């Protein structure tokens, strides 16, 4: 009976080992796909940041550091643009308020003129 139990335990362990091997293969395949996707993304970013390199112009290869700096620069410019847009929106809002105030004053002035006439 003890021998049977050992054989069953051994069989269970063998199945578990097979399952672990299968999972490891799946994970390795997933990692491989992720690496390919990352490399593809990196290539697209490099091409987007350096059109000359993308066109194959000799001597125009860019380094990853240059791409990182370009992405950082674009991000900074984007932030500045958002801040500028916010300032312009505030200025526009202020001007619209002033315009409404002037329109209201003109209307009061017009009514006063009509009364005087």
């Amino acid at each position: 009976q003890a021998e049977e139990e050992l054989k069953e335990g051994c069989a269970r362990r063998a199945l578990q080992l097979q399952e672990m091997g299968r999972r490891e293969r799946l994970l390795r395949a997933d990692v491989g796909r992720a690496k390919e996707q990352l490399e593809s993304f990196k290539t697209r970013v490099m091409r987007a940041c350096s059109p000359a390199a993308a066109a194959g112009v000799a001597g125009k290869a860019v380094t990853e550091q240059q791409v990182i700096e370009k992405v950082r620069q674009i991000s900074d410019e984007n932030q500045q643009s958002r801040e500028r847009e916010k300032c312009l929106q505030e200025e526009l809002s202020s001007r619209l308020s002033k315009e409404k105030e002037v329109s209201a004053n003109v209307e009061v002035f017009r009514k006063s003129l009509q009364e005087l006439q």
Side-chain angles (χ1 to χ4, degrees):
Q1 184 180 357
E3 187 178 338
E4 274 302 312
E5 288 175 4
L6 284 174
K7 284 181 181 179
E8 288 175 8
C10 188
R12 278 195 307 273
R13 296 283 190 280
L15 288 174
Q16 287 174 343
L17 188 59
Q18 285 179 342
E19 179 62 18
M20 288 172 63
R22 185 186 71 80
R23 287 180 184 175
E24 182 181 1
R25 286 189 300 279
L26 289 173
L27 288 172
R28 286 185 189 274
D30 287 347
V31 167
R33 280 191 297 276
K35 283 182 180 178
E36 289 171 7
Q37 289 173 343
L38 178 61
E39 198 57 40
S40 173
F41 178 72
K42 177 180 151 188
T43 300
R44 291 195 327 255
V45 169
M46 298 282 275
R47 286 182 182 153
C49 290
S50 178
V57 176
K60 292 289 184 178
V62 289
T63 65
E64 287 183 31
Q65 186 60 37
Q66 288 171 317
V67 170
I68 290 169
E69 289 302 319
K70 182 72 171 178
V71 169
R72 189 172 287 128
Q73 175 190 351
I74 291 169
S75 177
D76 290 345
E77 289 171 0
N78 187 23
Q79 179 65 29
Q80 291 170 358
S81 293
R82 280 183 276 167
E83 289 171 5
R84 177 78 176 130
E85 180 184 8
K86 184 180 176 184
C87 288
L88 290 173
Q89 287 287 353
E90 290 171 357
E91 184 179 336
L92 178 61
S93 178
S94 173
R95 287 185 183 193
L96 287 173
S97 294
K98 287 179 184 176
E99 184 179 320
K100 286 180 183 178
E101 184 181 331
V102 168
S103 293
N105 289 339
V106 166
E107 186 62 27
V108 167
F109 183 67
R110 187 182 62 77
K111 286 181 182 179
S112 295
L113 278 176
Q114 284 178 346
E115 289 174 6
L116 287 174
Q117 289 176 348

